[in-house]
Structure formats: structure tokens, C-alpha cells
């Protein structure tokens, strides 16, 4: 900022060379008929113009670097805070990052650089008063008139601009929905209907934007008209003063150039008014968030790196309520649960019973609105986020990958990931063989249009990512929903191996075959724990015949939670669910 001000001072002072050049030509060169004087004056003005061009280049370069430093200093800080605090208001942080990007663009623009020319407007007006008071008053009145036009423009266009912005955001949101779910839209023949819906919104936005453009265009035309009129008036009054012998002829054109330079920053400011106001509002939002972050960091106790995680999970009255809903709409209600390290727990229940919501809490993806969640006796907020994340392997129902190679996604984009660890995780998930059939193997870029993975392939890569790094806690949300028999067998083997090595494994499923890998079964019903106990006690038993041993449901039969005998009271957890003293 300091250097930008220095170069702006130099640039504006160098601009005075042109009016001096003209006044000297008319007042000295022409009356004396001196070619030598003209030559030296011309060389001097060329040198000044070259220096002025150099100052402009330096101003642009400084503004560009300043804007980049601004973004690189604030954007990583906001993103780091969102990651570290597991921010629930992700949309707000996305908007803040967009605000930072908009501010960066404004800092690098000519409109912002022009602000450093505004302080020189009074200087140029004072010079006009020195030339002649009438010319100074005329230029000052013109500057005031331009400012009044700018205020009137803001008052008339403000509401229209807000309406156009809101409608444009709605249209953008609708187009993003269409593109995000493009396959579903095309498969169900919804394309034309959704396109028409989006087009109606964008037409409304275009009409509102046209209203704003008409207002802005009218005032911009008025500003240009009055500025040119002021220039003509300066020349006219200057000529009159020359005729009445109150002014020399050379000062007419010098005064015209100085007045133009005095009014130009005001005109530029008026043209960039809305962008500057928008950036200023964005800066206020970013500054307010930074202040909240500083207060939170100052008040928060430092997070310690706790001992190695064992995998003991304890929920105490955990309740999750959707945003904007009341307690009776909670998707998890007073969950009391304790799971010891090395246990494998299967969560079953009907759709909407709360299986996914419980796994998201256990994986620290979401936080309970009421109650507390502990890992190894410490609340999750007390753990270092990086340490905790490295010890949790989570696979959601919907597999989402970031743009990068298969290996990078499996390795969670760790820059120090070992290739052997990536392959080991892929083998555990039964993904190694099919990855070899991809065009570039582990270096195949996910997210490219050439690569379309099936549901089962996506699920295997997601499982490999969950297994990577040998986490102590594995949380898998219906990991077998898209797997064939081979993939399911590989998953069962991986769970068995994790159990032998003392890992805590919790998975939700609707299929019998995977449940047989569990030690315990947790039955969810309407957001509550209906049953929790040993698998042999809770799974339905069906007699084959009098002379044959009893066996579980056939592996390919769906598991029906209603068949589970009611041997526990959800409101009074079994002793195994209570925390030991």
C-alpha cells in the first residue's frame, strides 16, 4: 500500500508536465520564435511522459501483488478455521471465500488504483484557483455536480440492483442443480421442464439487470455530458479572460488539462461506485468473521495431542435436530451408547431410522445439538483435528471423490503417502484388481469425463480410502450396498482382520451376510436405540428341521429388524452401554 501511494504521487506530479509544456509553448516559444527552446522543452516532456508510463506500470504491478498477498493471507486462514472447527455453516465460509476473491479482483483493478488519484483533485483545483479564481470556482462546482449525480444514481439503482442479484443467484443455483444431477434429469425426462424453469428465472434476472443498466446508463451519460460541458466552459471562460487581458493565452489549454485531470478521478470513482461499495461490504463481512475467529482462538484452550487412540466410543444423551426444526423432529434422540475397543458393531434398522445420522456423529462429520460424544474419555472437541482424522476411517453412503488420481484419493491427498500403503488399502477393499484395468491404473484421474466408474467401483475406492493409514476406528455406512459377492467377501475379510488387530469397527447394513461379521448388533428405530446386544442373542433364528442345526437367514435375504426380539429397553440401556466408572 505504501509503495502504491508513492508511485501515485509521482505519477500525478508528472502529469503537470503537459500543461506546463503547453503554457511555455504559447507564452515563450511562439513569441520568441525559438526552435532550440521548443526542442529542449519537447525532450523534457518526452522524458516526463516516459517516467509517467513507468510509474503506471509499477502501480499496476504493486496492486496486483498486493491483491494476491491479500487473498493468500486471508483465504487459507478462513479455510483452515473451517476445517479445524468442522464448521457447520459451510455455505457461509464458501461465500466468505468468494468475498475474498472479489476483494482481490477489486484491489487489482484500475478502479482501486484510481482511488489514489482522488486526493490530488483538491491540489489540481487549487492550481486552477491560482491560475484564476473564476476557473477554480467553475471546476469546483463541476466536481460537486458530479458527486451529486453519483449519489442520485446510487439511490435510484440500489433496490433494483439487489433484486437483480438475488434473481441471478437463484438462476445459478438452479443451473448447478441440473448439472450436478444431469444423469438423473436426462433419465427421467426432466430436462425441458427444468430448463424452462431455469430460463424463466434468468429472464426475470435479465429484466431486472436491464432496469439497473438503464438507470446506470442514463446517469453515466449525464456524467459524461456535464464533464465535457465543464471542459468547454473552462475553455470559453479562459478565452474570455484572455480577451479581457486577465489571462495569458498559454494558460487556457493548461487550465483545461488541469481541470480534466481534477475531474477524471471523480468520474472514474462514479463509474466504479457499485463495485467499490460491493467490495467494501464484502470486506466488512470478512473482517467480522476474522474478529470472531480471533476471539474464539483467544478464548479457546490450546488443543493437545492426546495419547494414541484406542477406539473407545461413548455417546451421552446425543441428540441431533435438523436446522430450523423443533426437538420433536430430531433425527437422533437421547442416544446413550458405549462401544469398547476391538468390538465390531452392526447397525440395522429401517430406512430413516437414524443409522446414517449416528454414524456421522461417530465420525465427527456432524456434531450433536444436545448431549456429548467422547473418544477414549475425551470429548471430540478436545482432540487435535489432524490426529483424530488420521485415526478414523469413514465411508459414507454416497461416494464423493476430489479431482485427482485414484492413488491421491485413496491416500487422502497426503503428500507423504507411501505407495505400498495405498496398494495395501486397495487390497483390503478388493479394489486393487479393478484399478489395474483403468487406463492409467492408480494414476487415473478421477472426475474426468473419460472415466465413468460403476457404483461398486466407487464404493471399493471409498472403502480403500477409509482403510488407508490403518485407522483405529472404522465407520462404514452401508459399505456393501453396491458390492458383488467377491467385493463383499473382501470387505468381510478386512473387517475380520481389523478385529484381530484390536480396531473398533462400526457399520450400517441391510444385508445378513455382513452382519455375521459383527460381535454386537445395534437396532435403530425412529432415531432411538431399540436394541443393543450380542449378535447371537439379537439376530433372528429360524429352524431348518428337527434333525438339522439352526442357522441364520440366508445371506441373500434382507435383514428385517422387526424380527429382532425385544430384549432391552431403549430408555434404559443395558449395562454394556453404561460408562464404567
Amino acid at each position: 500500500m505504501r509503495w502504491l501511494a508513492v508511485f501515485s504521487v509521482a505519477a500525478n506530479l508528472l502529469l503537470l508536465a503537459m500543461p506546463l509544456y503547453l503554457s511555455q509553448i504559447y507564452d515563450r516559444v511562439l513569441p520568441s520564435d525559438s526552435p532550440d527552446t521548443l526542442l529542449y522543452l519537447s525532450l523534457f516532456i518526452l522524458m516526463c511522459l516516459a517516467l509517467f508510463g513507468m510509474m503506471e506500470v509499477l502501480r499496476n504491478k504493486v496492486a496486483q501483488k498486493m491483491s494476491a498477498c491479500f487473498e493468500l493471507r486471508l483465504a487459507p486462514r478462513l479455510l483452515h478455521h473451517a476445517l479445524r472447527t468442522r464448521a457447520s455453516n459451510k455455505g457461509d465460509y464458501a461465500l466468505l471465500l468468494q468475498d475474498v476473491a472479489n476483494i482481490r479482483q477489486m484491489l487489482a483493478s484500475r478502479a482501486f488504483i484510481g482511488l489514489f488519484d482522488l486526493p490530488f483533485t483538491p491540489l489540481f483545483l487549487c492550481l486552477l484557483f491560482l491560475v484564476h479564481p473564476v476557473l477554480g470556482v467553475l471546476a469546483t462546482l463541476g466536481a460537486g455536480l458530479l458527486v451529486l449525480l453519483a449519489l442520485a444514481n446510487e439511490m435510484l439503482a440500489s433496490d433494483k440492483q439487489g433484486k437483480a442479484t438475488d434473481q441471478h443467484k437463484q438462476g445459478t443455483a438452479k443451473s448447478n442443480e441440473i448439472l450436478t444431477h444431469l444423469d438423473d434429469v436426462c433419465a427421467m425426462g426432466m430436462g425441458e421442464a427444468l430448463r424452462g424453469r431455469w430460463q424463466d428465472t434468468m429472464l426475470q434476472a435479465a429484466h431486472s439487470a436491464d432496469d439497473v443498466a438503464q438507470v446506470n446508463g442514463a446517469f453515466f451519460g449525464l456524467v459524461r455530458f456535464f464533464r465535457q460541458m465543464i471542459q468547454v466552459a473552462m475553455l470559453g471562460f479562459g478565452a474570455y479572460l484572455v480577451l479581457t487581458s486577465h489571462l495569458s493565452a498559454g494558460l487556457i489549454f493548461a487550465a483545461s488539462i488541469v481541470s480534466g485531470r481534477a475531474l477524471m478521478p471523480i468520474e472514474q470513482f462514479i463509474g466504479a461506485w457499485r463495485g467499490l461499495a460491493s467490495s467494501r461490504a464484502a470486506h466488512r463481512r470478512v473482517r467480522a468473521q476474522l474478529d470472531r475467529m480471533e476471539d474464539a482462538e483467544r478464548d479457546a484452550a490450546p488443543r493437545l495431542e492426546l495419547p494414541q487412540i484406542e477406539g473407545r466410543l461413548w455417546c451421552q444423551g446425543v441428540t441431533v435436530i435438523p436446522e430450523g426444526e423443533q426437538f420433536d423432529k430430531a433425527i437422533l434422540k437421547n442416544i446413550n451408547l458405549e462401544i469398547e475397543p476391538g468390538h465390531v458393531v452392526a447397525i440395522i434398522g429401517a430406512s430413516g431410522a437414524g443409522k446414517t445420522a449416528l454414524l456421522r456423529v461417530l465420525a465427527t462429520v456432524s456434531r450433536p445439538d444436545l448431549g456429548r460424544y467422547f473418544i477414549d474419555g475425551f470429548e471430540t472437541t478436545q482432540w487435535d483435528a489432524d490426529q483424530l482424522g488420521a485415526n478414523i476411517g469413514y465411508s459414507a453412503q454416497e461416494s464423493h471423490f476430489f479431482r485427482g488420481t485414484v492413488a491421491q484419493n485413496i491416500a487422502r491427498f497426503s503428500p507423504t503417502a507411501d505407495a505400498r500403503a495405498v496398494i495395501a488399502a486397495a487390497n483390503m477393499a478388493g479394489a486393487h484388481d479393478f484399478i489395474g484395468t483403468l487406463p492409467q491404473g492408480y494414476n487415473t484421474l478421477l472426475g474426468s469425463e473419460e472415466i465413468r466408474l460403476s457404483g461398486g467401483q466407487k464404493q471399493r475406492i471409498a472403502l480403500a480410502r477409509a482403510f488407508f493409514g490403518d485407522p483405529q476406528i472404522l465407520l462404514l455406512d452401508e459399505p456393501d450396498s453396491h458390492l458383488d459377492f467377491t467385493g463383499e467377501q473382501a470387505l468381510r475379510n478386512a473387517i475380520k482382520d481389523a478385529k484381530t488387530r484390536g480396531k473398533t469397527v462400526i457399520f450400517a447394513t441391510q444385508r445378513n451376510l455382513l452382519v455375521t461379521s459383527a460381535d454386537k448388533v445395534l437396532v435403530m428405530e425412529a432415531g432411538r436405540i431399540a436394541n443393543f446386544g450380542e449378535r447371537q442373542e439379537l439376530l433372528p433364528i429360524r429352524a431348518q428341521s428337527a434333525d438339522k442345526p439352526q442357522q441364520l437367514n440366508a445371506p441373500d435375504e434382507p435383514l428385517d429388524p422387526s424380527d429382532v426380539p425385544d430384549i432391552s429397553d431403549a430408555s434404559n440401556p443395558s449395562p454394556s452401554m453404561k460408562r464404567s466408572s
Side-chain angles (χ1 to χ4, degrees):
M1 188 77 75
R2 180 175 64 253
W3 285 109
L4 186 57
V6 169
F7 293 139
S8 296
V9 170
N12 280 275
L13 291 178
L14 287 169
L15 280 175
L16 294 175
M18 181 60 73
L20 289 174
Y21 177 69
L22 289 176
S23 65
Q24 291 300 311
I25 286 178
Y26 279 93
D27 292 341
R28 295 183 181 274
V29 175
L30 295 180
S32 64
D33 193 20
S34 174
D36 293 337
T37 304
L38 178 61
L39 175 62
Y40 290 126
L41 282 174
S42 299
L43 291 175
F44 174 75
I45 190 63
L46 288 175
M47 183 183 68
C48 290
L49 292 177
L51 289 174
F52 171 76
M54 186 182 301
M55 294 301 106
E56 287 293 295
V57 170
L58 290 174
R59 287 210 299 174
N60 285 316
K61 188 174 183 179
V62 169
Q64 183 63 41
K65 287 190 174 183
M66 183 177 65
S67 66
C69 289
F70 174 84
E71 185 175 37
L72 292 174
R73 187 175 71 252
L74 294 188
R77 187 177 174 187
L78 290 170
L79 189 57
H80 174 74
H81 188 266
L83 292 171
R84 191 168 184 81
T85 60
R86 302 289 183 90
S88 57
N89 53 339
K90 305 176 187 66
D92 292 344
Y93 278 88
L95 292 176
L96 286 171
L97 290 173
Q98 184 61 46
D99 284 340
V100 172
N102 292 338
I103 296 171
R104 176 190 60 78
Q105 292 177 355
M106 177 54 68
L107 291 176
S109 68
R110 291 297 307 173
F112 177 75
I113 296 175
L115 292 178
F116 289 83
D117 296 331
L118 272 176
F120 291 92
T121 293
L123 173 63
F124 293 136
L125 292 177
C126 289
L127 289 177
L128 290 174
F129 274 102
L130 292 177
V131 172
H132 198 281
V134 174
L135 297 180
V137 170
L138 184 60
T140 302
L141 291 176
L145 178 61
L146 295 182
V147 172
L148 289 177
L149 288 173
L151 293 175
N153 187 8
E154 174 67 17
M155 292 176 60
L156 293 177
S158 179
D159 293 339
K160 297 179 184 294
Q161 180 65 44
K163 181 180 178 181
T165 301
D166 291 341
Q167 290 174 341
H168 186 74
K169 287 181 179 179
Q170 293 176 15
T172 302
K174 290 176 181 178
S175 63
N176 288 338
E177 284 180 343
I178 295 173
L179 295 175
T180 301
H181 306 286
L182 188 59
D183 292 339
D184 295 337
V185 170
C186 294
M188 293 183 285
M190 300 166 59
E192 285 302 313
L194 290 178
R195 185 187 65 80
R197 180 169 169 262
W198 166 80
Q199 189 172 2
D200 289 342
T201 303
M202 294 306 294
L203 283 174
Q204 294 175 5
H207 286 311
S208 299
D210 185 62
D211 292 340
V212 175
Q214 288 183 11
V215 174
N216 290 338
F219 276 95
F220 183 72
L222 286 175
V223 168
R224 297 298 296 270
F225 166 73
F226 281 112
R227 181 172 176 270
Q228 296 298 325
M229 187 182 71
I230 294 168
Q231 292 287 104
V232 171
M234 294 290 293
L235 290 172
F237 275 98
Y240 173 78
L241 292 173
V242 171
L243 293 175
T244 57
S245 301
H246 289 88
L247 192 69
S248 65
L251 290 178
I252 297 178
F253 299 103
S256 178
I257 293 176
V258 172
S259 66
R261 188 58 194 173
L263 298 178
M264 184 180 297
I266 299 177
E267 183 179 350
Q268 291 177 341
F269 179 73
I270 293 172
W273 182 293
R274 184 158 301 281
L276 291 168
S278 177
S279 296
R280 186 166 177 266
H283 185 267
R284 284 199 300 266
R285 292 191 293 268
V286 173
R287 184 69 262 172
Q289 177 61 27
L290 291 175
D291 290 341
R292 288 192 292 268
M293 288 165 49
E294 290 174 357
D295 293 341
E297 291 170 358
R298 184 172 52 253
D299 297 338
R303 297 188 182 187
L304 302 177
E305 186 167 333
L306 298 171
Q308 179 63 35
I309 292 178
E310 296 179 3
R312 179 180 293 104
L313 311 182
W314 179 35
C315 294
Q316 184 184 57
V318 168
T319 300
V320 175
I321 306 171
E323 185 176 357
E325 298 291 347
Q326 301 298 321
F327 179 81
D328 58 342
K329 300 294 184 180
I331 54 179
L332 287 181
K333 304 170 185 175
N334 194 30
I335 299 296
N336 294 289
L337 173 68
E338 183 172 4
I339 300 173
E340 295 293 332
H343 282 193
V344 179
V345 179
I347 304 177
I348 63 174
S351 297
K355 304 186 298 297
T356 294
L358 178 57
L359 279 173
R360 287 174 61 84
V361 171
L362 297 180
T364 70
V365 174
S366 60
R367 291 180 176 175
D369 296 291
L370 298 173
R372 306 169 74 187
Y373 172 42
F374 300 83
I375 295 180
D376 289 356
F378 293 88
E379 282 197 78
T380 54
T381 54
Q382 299 177 14
W383 286 94
D384 178 78
D386 294 335
Q387 182 191 11
L388 188 60
N391 282 275
I392 292 179
Y394 175 62
S395 175
Q397 282 189 27
E398 296 293 332
S399 302
H400 174 76
F401 303 114
F402 298 93
R403 187 167 182 83
T405 65
V406 173
Q408 288 174 326
N409 274 274
I410 293 176
R412 308 183 187 185
F413 287 85
S414 170
T416 60
D418 182 40
R420 288 173 295 183
V422 173
I423 295 174
N427 276 318
M428 291 182 66
H432 178 71
D433 291 339
F434 100 79
I435 291 175
T437 65
L438 297 177
Q440 302 297 326
Y442 282 92
N443 291 323
T444 301
L445 185 65
L446 296 180
S448 61
E449 296 181 357
E450 295 80 8
I451 302 300
R452 302 296 294 270
L453 300 178
S454 67
Q457 290 173 330
K458 291 179 180 179
Q459 194 158 50
R460 292 191 191 195
I461 294 178
L463 288 171
R465 179 171 58 187
F467 294 145
F468 176 79
D470 194 27
Q472 186 62 27
I473 303 170
L474 285 171
L475 301 164
L476 314 175
D477 193 357
E478 298 197 13
D480 53 347
S481 58
H482 296 292
L483 297 182
D484 55 18
F485 179 78
T486 302
E488 198 167 353
Q489 190 63 41
L491 175 60
R492 294 182 63 201
N493 291 336
I495 293 175
K496 181 179 179 181
D497 178 69
K499 177 183 176 182
T500 60
R501 293 186 292 114
K503 310 294 183 182
T504 302
V505 184
I506 306 173
F507 59 84
T509 185
Q510 299 282 5
R511 297 162 70 177
N512 256 345
L513 183 59
L514 193 59
V515 177
T516 59
S517 302
D519 303 317
K520 296 185 176 183
V521 173
L522 188 153
V523 183
M524 295 292 298
E525 183 178 329
R528 300 181 184 273
I529 297 178
N531 285 292
F532 181 51
E534 299 295 328
R535 172 175 59 83
Q536 292 85 350
E537 298 176 2
L538 293 186
L539 279 180
I541 307 298
R542 296 184 180 178
Q544 294 280 324
S545 64
D547 57 347
K548 291 184 179 181
Q550 293 176 325
Q551 67 176 21
L552 299 173
N553 293 354
D556 58 346
E557 290 185 20
L559 188 62
D560 187 357
S562 63
D563 290 339
V564 179
D566 186 8
I567 65 171
S568 65
D569 187 350
S571 62
N572 296 294
S574 62
S576 63
M577 295 169 57
K578 297 178 181 178
R579 180 169 175 79
S580 57
S581 60

